[in-house]
């Protein structure tokens, strides 16, 4: 990505993603190959009024080294000091930016049980921080930077020296950086279209969403007073921001115990650096009762067994099959991009912002309202050009929302 486009990208994620405010602390988490981009973000953040910018570098390769060489019992420990460090920054009003794009294959030959132990320790230590983030107490955004190892995975058929250039070109288009009216205006225009669909769905207050295709037959109950979100969000201090760039979805939470049927994945799930492919989940009264997978079944079962809430869903999201990411025809091996090419669901934690007054509910009240609580929130893709989606009204009337993967509203 040339300097001009990197500058446009930095401005996009700071002004529209984080929507950085005067006197604010910004925490940037990134891998080392993104260093040039990180420095541009830091420079622009200070020019936009940031009080202090903290940069945390961590490559997935260091986690690989730990998992291969550490004593197993040490994997059950994550320094509470590190979790508390982020929690204190959050309580001080900091915003958080994570830059994805590191090597998707870094952990592919690591024992899934070791990965799960390490992940679980970190999630337990960070529980309070994650809960506050899910309630939009602070602004956060996840973006991506094209690394060579990521490009090697996506475009193995190209000469090595051409792969990162190709990935950069594709991402630039998806991020609307090449838009004639500029990336920020292009995204704001797109967000207005998402808001129209959100308004329609929120007014309808469907009791149920039905997913039907040649691989899926799933009924998802929606709780009373659910809220569809998408395009952007509003933090507790009333500032708009965009949690994911890119984003194409409108999403809400399912009734925890109201999911029945089966659903099949349509794209691989990259979880903890490993691929889970061609998998199917079976639900009874909301609970995942059986899993099948061509590859990665052990890791998928361990994900589902993380805690009680990981046996249930926390998100249902609708995405047009003709989204720019889907139209690219590329499998990115990166959930940030792949989930925005497809309707998707999420295993685990529901967002309290997806139900009226959810941010002010106690955990018990949120559960009574139908929300799911878990240490994990993992999206997986189910949409395709054969997927039909229907909304069921309060009186049982059925309305088509997507036909063959395309919006009808």
């Amino acid at each position: 990505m040339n300097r001009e486009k990197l500058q446009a990208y930095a401005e996009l994620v700071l002004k529209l993603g984080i929507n950085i405010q005067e006197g604010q602390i910004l925490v940037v988490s990134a891998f080392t190959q993104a260093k040039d981009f990180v420095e541009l973000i830091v420079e622009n953040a200070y020019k936009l009024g940031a009080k202090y910018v903290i940069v945390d570098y961590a490559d997935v390769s260091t986690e690989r080294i730990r998992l291969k060489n550490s004593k197993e019992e040490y994997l059950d420990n994550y320094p509470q000091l590190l979790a508390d460090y982020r929690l204190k920054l959050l309580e001080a009003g900091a915003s958080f930016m994570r830059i994805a794009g590191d090597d998707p294959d870094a952990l592919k030959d690591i024992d899934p049980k070791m990965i799960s132990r390490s992940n679980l320790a970190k999630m337990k230590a960070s529980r309070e921080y994650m809960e506050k983030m899910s309630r939009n107490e602070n602004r956060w955004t996840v973006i991506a930077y094209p690394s060579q190892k990521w490009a090697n995975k996506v475009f193995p058929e190209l000469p090595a020296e051409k792969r990162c250039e190709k990935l950069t070109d594709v991402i630039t288009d998806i991020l609307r950086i090449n838009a004639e009216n500029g990336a920020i205006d292009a995204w704001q225009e797109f967000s207005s279209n998402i808001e129209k669909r959100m308004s329609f769905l929120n007014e309808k207050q469907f009791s149920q969403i039905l997913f039907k295709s040649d691989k899926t037959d799933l009924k998802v109950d929606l709780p009373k007073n659910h809220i569809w979100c998408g395009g952007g969000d509003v933090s507790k201090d009333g500032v708009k921001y965009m949690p994911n760039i890119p984003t194409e979805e409108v999403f809400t939470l399912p009734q925890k115990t109201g999911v029945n049927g089966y659903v099949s994945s349509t794209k691989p799930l990259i979880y903890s650096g490993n691929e889970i492919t061609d998998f199917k989940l079976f639900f009874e009264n909301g609970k995942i009762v059986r899993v099948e997978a061509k590859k990665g079944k052990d890791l998928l079962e361990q994900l589902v067994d993380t805690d009680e809430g990981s046996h249930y869903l926390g998100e249902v999201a609708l995405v047009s099959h003709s989204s720019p990411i889907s139209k690219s025809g590329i499998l990115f091996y990166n959930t940030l991009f792949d989930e925005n090419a497809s309707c998707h669901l999420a295993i685990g934690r529901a967002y309290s912002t997806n139900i009226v007054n959810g941010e002010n509910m106690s955990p018990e009240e949120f559960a009574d309202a139908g929300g799911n609580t878990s240490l994990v929130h993992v999206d997986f893709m189910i949409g395709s050009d054969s997927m039909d989606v229907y909304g069921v009204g309060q009186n049982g009337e059925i309305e088509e929302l997507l036909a063959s993967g395309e919006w009808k509203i």
Side-chain angles (χ1 to χ4, degrees), residues 33-65:
Q33 195 176 335
K35 183 174 180 292
D36 290 346
F37 182 45
V38 170
E39 290 179 354
L40 198 56
I41 287 174
V42 172
E43 178 184 343
N44 279 271
Y46 281 122
K47 288 179 177 179
L48 290 168
K51 180 191 294 184
Y52 200 85
V53 182
I54 299 168
V55 179
D56 289 335
Y57 284 112
D59 291 345
V60 69
S61 58
T62 59
E63 178 66 5
R64 175 186 174 82
I65 292 169

PDB file of all heavy atoms in Angstrom, residues 33-65:
ATOM      1  N   GLN A  33       5.004  -6.673  11.511  1.00  0.00           N
ATOM      2  CA  GLN A  33       5.110  -6.331  10.093  1.00  0.00           C
ATOM      3  C   GLN A  33       4.248  -5.120   9.736  1.00  0.00           C
ATOM      4  O   GLN A  33       4.443  -4.488   8.691  1.00  0.00           O
ATOM      5  CB  GLN A  33       4.725  -7.520   9.210  1.00  0.00           C
ATOM      6  CG  GLN A  33       5.167  -7.316   7.757  1.00  0.00           C
ATOM      7  CD  GLN A  33       4.879  -8.519   6.873  1.00  0.00           C
ATOM      8  OE1 GLN A  33       4.788  -9.637   7.350  1.00  0.00           O
ATOM      9  NE2 GLN A  33       4.734  -8.284   5.582  1.00  0.00           N
ATOM     10  N   ALA A  34       3.309  -4.766  10.608  1.00  0.00           N
ATOM     11  CA  ALA A  34       2.466  -3.592  10.376  1.00  0.00           C
ATOM     12  C   ALA A  34       3.085  -2.317  10.930  1.00  0.00           C
ATOM     13  O   ALA A  34       2.424  -1.280  11.020  1.00  0.00           O
ATOM     14  CB  ALA A  34       1.089  -3.817  11.002  1.00  0.00           C
ATOM     15  N   LYS A  35       4.367  -2.366  11.282  1.00  0.00           N
ATOM     16  CA  LYS A  35       5.028  -1.259  11.985  1.00  0.00           C
ATOM     17  C   LYS A  35       4.901   0.077  11.245  1.00  0.00           C
ATOM     18  O   LYS A  35       4.609   1.107  11.859  1.00  0.00           O
ATOM     19  CB  LYS A  35       6.501  -1.597  12.201  1.00  0.00           C
ATOM     20  CG  LYS A  35       7.287  -0.557  12.988  1.00  0.00           C
ATOM     21  CD  LYS A  35       8.705  -1.063  13.259  1.00  0.00           C
ATOM     22  CE  LYS A  35       9.517  -0.036  14.050  1.00  0.00           C
ATOM     23  NZ  LYS A  35       9.789   1.176  13.251  1.00  0.00           N
ATOM     24  N   ASP A  36       5.122   0.104   9.934  1.00  0.00           N
ATOM     25  CA  ASP A  36       5.045   1.361   9.189  1.00  0.00           C
ATOM     26  C   ASP A  36       3.648   1.964   9.272  1.00  0.00           C
ATOM     27  O   ASP A  36       3.489   3.186   9.433  1.00  0.00           O
ATOM     28  CB  ASP A  36       5.427   1.142   7.726  1.00  0.00           C
ATOM     29  CG  ASP A  36       6.908   0.854   7.546  1.00  0.00           C
ATOM     30  OD1 ASP A  36       7.679   1.088   8.495  1.00  0.00           O
ATOM     31  OD2 ASP A  36       7.289   0.394   6.455  1.00  0.00           O
ATOM     32  N   PHE A  37       2.638   1.107   9.167  1.00  0.00           N
ATOM     33  CA  PHE A  37       1.261   1.585   9.256  1.00  0.00           C
ATOM     34  C   PHE A  37       0.946   2.060  10.672  1.00  0.00           C
ATOM     35  O   PHE A  37       0.287   3.084  10.865  1.00  0.00           O
ATOM     36  CB  PHE A  37       0.310   0.462   8.830  1.00  0.00           C
ATOM     37  CG  PHE A  37      -1.147   0.852   8.829  1.00  0.00           C
ATOM     38  CD1 PHE A  37      -1.569   2.055   8.290  1.00  0.00           C
ATOM     39  CD2 PHE A  37      -2.102  -0.006   9.355  1.00  0.00           C
ATOM     40  CE1 PHE A  37      -2.917   2.414   8.278  1.00  0.00           C
ATOM     41  CE2 PHE A  37      -3.447   0.335   9.352  1.00  0.00           C
ATOM     42  CZ  PHE A  37      -3.853   1.551   8.815  1.00  0.00           C
ATOM     43  N   VAL A  38       1.429   1.332  11.659  1.00  0.00           N
ATOM     44  CA  VAL A  38       1.203   1.728  13.051  1.00  0.00           C
ATOM     45  C   VAL A  38       1.794   3.113  13.315  1.00  0.00           C
ATOM     46  O   VAL A  38       1.152   3.966  13.953  1.00  0.00           O
ATOM     47  CB  VAL A  38       1.819   0.691  14.011  1.00  0.00           C
ATOM     48  CG1 VAL A  38       1.807   1.217  15.449  1.00  0.00           C
ATOM     49  CG2 VAL A  38       1.051  -0.625  13.934  1.00  0.00           C
ATOM     50  N   GLU A  39       2.995   3.344  12.807  1.00  0.00           N
ATOM     51  CA  GLU A  39       3.612   4.654  13.034  1.00  0.00           C
ATOM     52  C   GLU A  39       2.813   5.774  12.377  1.00  0.00           C
ATOM     53  O   GLU A  39       2.718   6.884  12.922  1.00  0.00           O
ATOM     54  CB  GLU A  39       5.049   4.627  12.506  1.00  0.00           C
ATOM     55  CG  GLU A  39       5.967   3.744  13.343  1.00  0.00           C
ATOM     56  CD  GLU A  39       7.376   3.687  12.808  1.00  0.00           C
ATOM     57  OE1 GLU A  39       7.634   4.251  11.715  1.00  0.00           O
ATOM     58  OE2 GLU A  39       8.243   3.082  13.484  1.00  0.00           O
ATOM     59  N   LEU A  40       2.195   5.482  11.238  1.00  0.00           N
ATOM     60  CA  LEU A  40       1.349   6.476  10.588  1.00  0.00           C
ATOM     61  C   LEU A  40       0.086   6.731  11.407  1.00  0.00           C
ATOM     62  O   LEU A  40      -0.379   7.878  11.524  1.00  0.00           O
ATOM     63  CB  LEU A  40       0.994   6.001   9.177  1.00  0.00           C
ATOM     64  CG  LEU A  40       0.477   7.048   8.187  1.00  0.00           C
ATOM     65  CD1 LEU A  40       1.452   8.199   8.034  1.00  0.00           C
ATOM     66  CD2 LEU A  40       0.200   6.407   6.833  1.00  0.00           C
ATOM     67  N   ILE A  41      -0.466   5.683  11.986  1.00  0.00           N
ATOM     68  CA  ILE A  41      -1.628   5.842  12.861  1.00  0.00           C
ATOM     69  C   ILE A  41      -1.267   6.675  14.086  1.00  0.00           C
ATOM     70  O   ILE A  41      -2.011   7.589  14.474  1.00  0.00           O
ATOM     71  CB  ILE A  41      -2.175   4.459  13.284  1.00  0.00           C
ATOM     72  CG1 ILE A  41      -2.886   3.798  12.109  1.00  0.00           C
ATOM     73  CG2 ILE A  41      -3.128   4.588  14.474  1.00  0.00           C
ATOM     74  CD1 ILE A  41      -3.331   2.379  12.369  1.00  0.00           C
ATOM     75  N   VAL A  42      -0.122   6.390  14.671  1.00  0.00           N
ATOM     76  CA  VAL A  42       0.319   7.149  15.846  1.00  0.00           C
ATOM     77  C   VAL A  42       0.479   8.625  15.497  1.00  0.00           C
ATOM     78  O   VAL A  42       0.010   9.516  16.229  1.00  0.00           O
ATOM     79  CB  VAL A  42       1.638   6.570  16.393  1.00  0.00           C
ATOM     80  CG1 VAL A  42       2.208   7.482  17.489  1.00  0.00           C
ATOM     81  CG2 VAL A  42       1.422   5.161  16.942  1.00  0.00           C
ATOM     82  N   GLU A  43       1.127   8.898  14.373  1.00  0.00           N
ATOM     83  CA  GLU A  43       1.344  10.286  13.948  1.00  0.00           C
ATOM     84  C   GLU A  43       0.018  11.009  13.752  1.00  0.00           C
ATOM     85  O   GLU A  43      -0.173  12.139  14.243  1.00  0.00           O
ATOM     86  CB  GLU A  43       2.146  10.292  12.648  1.00  0.00           C
ATOM     87  CG  GLU A  43       2.391  11.689  12.076  1.00  0.00           C
ATOM     88  CD  GLU A  43       3.106  11.654  10.733  1.00  0.00           C
ATOM     89  OE1 GLU A  43       3.695  10.602  10.383  1.00  0.00           O
ATOM     90  OE2 GLU A  43       3.086  12.685  10.039  1.00  0.00           O
ATOM     91  N   ASN A  44      -0.899  10.376  13.046  1.00  0.00           N
ATOM     92  CA  ASN A  44      -2.195  11.010  12.777  1.00  0.00           C
ATOM     93  C   ASN A  44      -3.036  11.137  14.046  1.00  0.00           C
ATOM     94  O   ASN A  44      -3.784  12.109  14.199  1.00  0.00           O
ATOM     95  CB  ASN A  44      -2.956  10.218  11.722  1.00  0.00           C
ATOM     96  CG  ASN A  44      -2.503  10.534  10.307  1.00  0.00           C
ATOM     97  OD1 ASN A  44      -3.023  11.438   9.671  1.00  0.00           O
ATOM     98  ND2 ASN A  44      -1.509   9.792   9.826  1.00  0.00           N
ATOM     99  N   ALA A  45      -2.914  10.177  14.948  1.00  0.00           N
ATOM    100  CA  ALA A  45      -3.676  10.252  16.197  1.00  0.00           C
ATOM    101  C   ALA A  45      -3.265  11.479  17.007  1.00  0.00           C
ATOM    102  O   ALA A  45      -4.114  12.204  17.543  1.00  0.00           O
ATOM    103  CB  ALA A  45      -3.470   8.973  17.007  1.00  0.00           C
ATOM    104  N   TYR A  46      -1.977  11.723  17.085  1.00  0.00           N
ATOM    105  CA  TYR A  46      -1.527  12.904  17.818  1.00  0.00           C
ATOM    106  C   TYR A  46      -1.971  14.190  17.123  1.00  0.00           C
ATOM    107  O   TYR A  46      -2.371  15.162  17.785  1.00  0.00           O
ATOM    108  CB  TYR A  46      -0.009  12.879  17.988  1.00  0.00           C
ATOM    109  CG  TYR A  46       0.465  11.968  19.099  1.00  0.00           C
ATOM    110  CD1 TYR A  46       1.340  10.921  18.843  1.00  0.00           C
ATOM    111  CD2 TYR A  46       0.027  12.154  20.403  1.00  0.00           C
ATOM    112  CE1 TYR A  46       1.779  10.086  19.866  1.00  0.00           C
ATOM    113  CE2 TYR A  46       0.451  11.322  21.434  1.00  0.00           C
ATOM    114  CZ  TYR A  46       1.320  10.287  21.153  1.00  0.00           C
ATOM    115  OH  TYR A  46       1.740   9.455  22.166  1.00  0.00           O
ATOM    116  N   LYS A  47      -1.937  14.206  15.797  1.00  0.00           N
ATOM    117  CA  LYS A  47      -2.381  15.390  15.066  1.00  0.00           C
ATOM    118  C   LYS A  47      -3.869  15.644  15.273  1.00  0.00           C
ATOM    119  O   LYS A  47      -4.328  16.795  15.199  1.00  0.00           O
ATOM    120  CB  LYS A  47      -2.078  15.230  13.575  1.00  0.00           C
ATOM    121  CG  LYS A  47      -0.599  15.330  13.232  1.00  0.00           C
ATOM    122  CD  LYS A  47      -0.363  15.150  11.744  1.00  0.00           C
ATOM    123  CE  LYS A  47       1.112  15.313  11.384  1.00  0.00           C
ATOM    124  NZ  LYS A  47       1.356  15.104   9.926  1.00  0.00           N
ATOM    125  N   LEU A  48      -4.634  14.575  15.532  1.00  0.00           N
ATOM    126  CA  LEU A  48      -6.072  14.712  15.754  1.00  0.00           C
ATOM    127  C   LEU A  48      -6.415  14.969  17.221  1.00  0.00           C
ATOM    128  O   LEU A  48      -7.590  15.031  17.575  1.00  0.00           O
ATOM    129  CB  LEU A  48      -6.797  13.448  15.271  1.00  0.00           C
ATOM    130  CG  LEU A  48      -6.820  13.258  13.751  1.00  0.00           C
ATOM    131  CD1 LEU A  48      -7.284  11.853  13.390  1.00  0.00           C
ATOM    132  CD2 LEU A  48      -7.717  14.306  13.093  1.00  0.00           C
ATOM    133  N   GLY A  49      -5.376  15.079  18.059  1.00  0.00           N
ATOM    134  CA  GLY A  49      -5.630  15.497  19.438  1.00  0.00           C
ATOM    135  C   GLY A  49      -5.464  14.434  20.497  1.00  0.00           C
ATOM    136  O   GLY A  49      -5.835  14.655  21.657  1.00  0.00           O
ATOM    137  N   ALA A  50      -4.934  13.260  20.157  1.00  0.00           N
ATOM    138  CA  ALA A  50      -4.737  12.221  21.163  1.00  0.00           C
ATOM    139  C   ALA A  50      -3.818  12.708  22.276  1.00  0.00           C
ATOM    140  O   ALA A  50      -2.837  13.405  22.028  1.00  0.00           O
ATOM    141  CB  ALA A  50      -4.153  10.962  20.516  1.00  0.00           C
ATOM    142  N   LYS A  51      -4.161  12.327  23.501  1.00  0.00           N
ATOM    143  CA  LYS A  51      -3.306  12.673  24.633  1.00  0.00           C
ATOM    144  C   LYS A  51      -2.087  11.767  24.694  1.00  0.00           C
ATOM    145  O   LYS A  51      -0.962  12.232  24.955  1.00  0.00           O
ATOM    146  CB  LYS A  51      -4.100  12.537  25.941  1.00  0.00           C
ATOM    147  CG  LYS A  51      -3.295  12.872  27.196  1.00  0.00           C
ATOM    148  CD  LYS A  51      -4.031  12.475  28.466  1.00  0.00           C
ATOM    149  CE  LYS A  51      -5.291  13.295  28.656  1.00  0.00           C
ATOM    150  NZ  LYS A  51      -5.958  12.961  29.946  1.00  0.00           N
ATOM    151  N   TYR A  52      -2.310  10.467  24.470  1.00  0.00           N
ATOM    152  CA  TYR A  52      -1.218   9.504  24.510  1.00  0.00           C
ATOM    153  C   TYR A  52      -1.611   8.290  23.687  1.00  0.00           C
ATOM    154  O   TYR A  52      -2.767   7.854  23.719  1.00  0.00           O
ATOM    155  CB  TYR A  52      -0.918   9.084  25.957  1.00  0.00           C
ATOM    156  CG  TYR A  52       0.459   8.496  26.125  1.00  0.00           C
ATOM    157  CD1 TYR A  52       1.560   9.314  26.319  1.00  0.00           C
ATOM    158  CD2 TYR A  52       0.660   7.124  26.082  1.00  0.00           C
ATOM    159  CE1 TYR A  52       2.840   8.776  26.458  1.00  0.00           C
ATOM    160  CE2 TYR A  52       1.922   6.576  26.227  1.00  0.00           C
ATOM    161  CZ  TYR A  52       3.008   7.410  26.409  1.00  0.00           C
ATOM    162  OH  TYR A  52       4.273   6.885  26.538  1.00  0.00           O
ATOM    163  N   VAL A  53      -0.646   7.742  22.941  1.00  0.00           N
ATOM    164  CA  VAL A  53      -0.882   6.540  22.145  1.00  0.00           C
ATOM    165  C   VAL A  53       0.048   5.440  22.639  1.00  0.00           C
ATOM    166  O   VAL A  53       1.270   5.618  22.677  1.00  0.00           O
ATOM    167  CB  VAL A  53      -0.648   6.785  20.641  1.00  0.00           C
ATOM    168  CG1 VAL A  53      -0.967   5.514  19.845  1.00  0.00           C
ATOM    169  CG2 VAL A  53      -1.497   7.953  20.144  1.00  0.00           C
ATOM    170  N   ILE A  54      -0.539   4.332  23.049  1.00  0.00           N
ATOM    171  CA  ILE A  54       0.206   3.168  23.520  1.00  0.00           C
ATOM    172  C   ILE A  54       0.194   2.116  22.420  1.00  0.00           C
ATOM    173  O   ILE A  54      -0.869   1.805  21.864  1.00  0.00           O
ATOM    174  CB  ILE A  54      -0.434   2.595  24.799  1.00  0.00           C
ATOM    175  CG1 ILE A  54      -0.415   3.648  25.910  1.00  0.00           C
ATOM    176  CG2 ILE A  54       0.270   1.310  25.239  1.00  0.00           C
ATOM    177  CD1 ILE A  54      -1.270   3.280  27.103  1.00  0.00           C
ATOM    178  N   VAL A  55       1.339   1.574  22.087  1.00  0.00           N
ATOM    179  CA  VAL A  55       1.435   0.546  21.053  1.00  0.00           C
ATOM    180  C   VAL A  55       1.922  -0.755  21.680  1.00  0.00           C
ATOM    181  O   VAL A  55       2.971  -0.792  22.328  1.00  0.00           O
ATOM    182  CB  VAL A  55       2.386   0.967  19.921  1.00  0.00           C
ATOM    183  CG1 VAL A  55       2.483  -0.146  18.877  1.00  0.00           C
ATOM    184  CG2 VAL A  55       1.905   2.267  19.271  1.00  0.00           C
ATOM    185  N   ASP A  56       1.129  -1.807  21.491  1.00  0.00           N
ATOM    186  CA  ASP A  56       1.497  -3.149  21.944  1.00  0.00           C
ATOM    187  C   ASP A  56       1.746  -4.025  20.721  1.00  0.00           C
ATOM    188  O   ASP A  56       0.842  -4.246  19.909  1.00  0.00           O
ATOM    189  CB  ASP A  56       0.369  -3.779  22.772  1.00  0.00           C
ATOM    190  CG  ASP A  56       0.213  -3.131  24.133  1.00  0.00           C
ATOM    191  OD1 ASP A  56       1.200  -2.574  24.632  1.00  0.00           O
ATOM    192  OD2 ASP A  56      -0.901  -3.184  24.693  1.00  0.00           O
ATOM    193  N   TYR A  57       2.976  -4.504  20.574  1.00  0.00           N
ATOM    194  CA  TYR A  57       3.312  -5.406  19.470  1.00  0.00           C
ATOM    195  C   TYR A  57       3.341  -6.848  19.966  1.00  0.00           C
ATOM    196  O   TYR A  57       3.917  -7.135  21.028  1.00  0.00           O
ATOM    197  CB  TYR A  57       4.688  -5.069  18.882  1.00  0.00           C
ATOM    198  CG  TYR A  57       4.716  -3.851  17.998  1.00  0.00           C
ATOM    199  CD1 TYR A  57       5.389  -2.704  18.391  1.00  0.00           C
ATOM    200  CD2 TYR A  57       4.073  -3.859  16.756  1.00  0.00           C
ATOM    201  CE1 TYR A  57       5.431  -1.579  17.578  1.00  0.00           C
ATOM    202  CE2 TYR A  57       4.116  -2.738  15.938  1.00  0.00           C
ATOM    203  CZ  TYR A  57       4.792  -1.607  16.350  1.00  0.00           C
ATOM    204  OH  TYR A  57       4.827  -0.508  15.542  1.00  0.00           O
ATOM    205  N   ALA A  58       2.735  -7.737  19.209  1.00  0.00           N
ATOM    206  CA  ALA A  58       2.789  -9.166  19.528  1.00  0.00           C
ATOM    207  C   ALA A  58       2.504  -9.959  18.263  1.00  0.00           C
ATOM    208  O   ALA A  58       1.441  -9.812  17.657  1.00  0.00           O
ATOM    209  CB  ALA A  58       1.782  -9.522  20.618  1.00  0.00           C
ATOM    210  N   ASP A  59       3.456 -10.769  17.853  1.00  0.00           N
ATOM    211  CA  ASP A  59       3.259 -11.645  16.698  1.00  0.00           C
ATOM    212  C   ASP A  59       2.738 -13.001  17.165  1.00  0.00           C
ATOM    213  O   ASP A  59       3.107 -13.484  18.244  1.00  0.00           O
ATOM    214  CB  ASP A  59       4.573 -11.859  15.949  1.00  0.00           C
ATOM    215  CG  ASP A  59       5.051 -10.599  15.240  1.00  0.00           C
ATOM    216  OD1 ASP A  59       4.227  -9.672  15.093  1.00  0.00           O
ATOM    217  OD2 ASP A  59       6.220 -10.545  14.848  1.00  0.00           O
ATOM    218  N   VAL A  60       1.911 -13.615  16.344  1.00  0.00           N
ATOM    219  CA  VAL A  60       1.386 -14.929  16.696  1.00  0.00           C
ATOM    220  C   VAL A  60       2.508 -15.957  16.780  1.00  0.00           C
ATOM    221  O   VAL A  60       2.380 -16.975  17.456  1.00  0.00           O
ATOM    222  CB  VAL A  60       0.294 -15.354  15.684  1.00  0.00           C
ATOM    223  CG1 VAL A  60       0.882 -15.635  14.314  1.00  0.00           C
ATOM    224  CG2 VAL A  60      -0.493 -16.553  16.197  1.00  0.00           C
ATOM    225  N   SER A  61       3.623 -15.675  16.141  1.00  0.00           N
ATOM    226  CA  SER A  61       4.768 -16.596  16.208  1.00  0.00           C
ATOM    227  C   SER A  61       5.306 -16.725  17.631  1.00  0.00           C
ATOM    228  O   SER A  61       5.814 -17.786  18.017  1.00  0.00           O
ATOM    229  CB  SER A  61       5.886 -16.136  15.270  1.00  0.00           C
ATOM    230  OG  SER A  61       6.310 -14.828  15.603  1.00  0.00           O
ATOM    231  N   THR A  62       5.182 -15.677  18.437  1.00  0.00           N
ATOM    232  CA  THR A  62       5.648 -15.770  19.820  1.00  0.00           C
ATOM    233  C   THR A  62       4.726 -16.669  20.638  1.00  0.00           C
ATOM    234  O   THR A  62       5.178 -17.362  21.553  1.00  0.00           O
ATOM    235  CB  THR A  62       5.732 -14.377  20.476  1.00  0.00           C
ATOM    236  OG1 THR A  62       4.444 -13.749  20.464  1.00  0.00           O
ATOM    237  CG2 THR A  62       6.710 -13.488  19.726  1.00  0.00           C
ATOM    238  N   GLU A  63       3.429 -16.645  20.309  1.00  0.00           N
ATOM    239  CA  GLU A  63       2.499 -17.562  20.976  1.00  0.00           C
ATOM    240  C   GLU A  63       2.807 -18.995  20.561  1.00  0.00           C
ATOM    241  O   GLU A  63       2.725 -19.925  21.378  1.00  0.00           O
ATOM    242  CB  GLU A  63       1.055 -17.202  20.636  1.00  0.00           C
ATOM    243  CG  GLU A  63      -0.009 -18.116  21.243  1.00  0.00           C
ATOM    244  CD  GLU A  63      -0.082 -18.053  22.771  1.00  0.00           C
ATOM    245  OE1 GLU A  63       0.635 -17.229  23.382  1.00  0.00           O
ATOM    246  OE2 GLU A  63      -0.848 -18.837  23.347  1.00  0.00           O
ATOM    247  N   ARG A  64       3.181 -19.190  19.319  1.00  0.00           N
ATOM    248  CA  ARG A  64       3.568 -20.520  18.844  1.00  0.00           C
ATOM    249  C   ARG A  64       4.775 -21.044  19.634  1.00  0.00           C
ATOM    250  O   ARG A  64       4.792 -22.200  20.068  1.00  0.00           O
ATOM    251  CB  ARG A  64       3.907 -20.460  17.352  1.00  0.00           C
ATOM    252  CG  ARG A  64       4.449 -21.762  16.788  1.00  0.00           C
ATOM    253  CD  ARG A  64       4.914 -21.606  15.340  1.00  0.00           C
ATOM    254  NE  ARG A  64       5.548 -22.830  14.894  1.00  0.00           N
ATOM    255  CZ  ARG A  64       4.889 -23.888  14.445  1.00  0.00           C
ATOM    256  NH1 ARG A  64       3.567 -23.879  14.396  1.00  0.00           N
ATOM    257  NH2 ARG A  64       5.537 -24.976  14.064  1.00  0.00           N
ATOM    258  N   ILE A  65       5.758 -20.183  19.826  1.00  0.00           N
ATOM    259  CA  ILE A  65       6.943 -20.575  20.585  1.00  0.00           C
ATOM    260  C   ILE A  65       6.556 -20.995  21.999  1.00  0.00           C
ATOM    261  O   ILE A  65       7.030 -22.007  22.529  1.00  0.00           O
ATOM    262  CB  ILE A  65       7.966 -19.424  20.615  1.00  0.00           C
ATOM    263  CG1 ILE A  65       8.535 -19.192  19.206  1.00  0.00           C
ATOM    264  CG2 ILE A  65       9.085 -19.705  21.611  1.00  0.00           C
ATOM    265  CD1 ILE A  65       9.349 -17.920  19.080  1.00  0.00           C
TER     266      ILE A  65
END
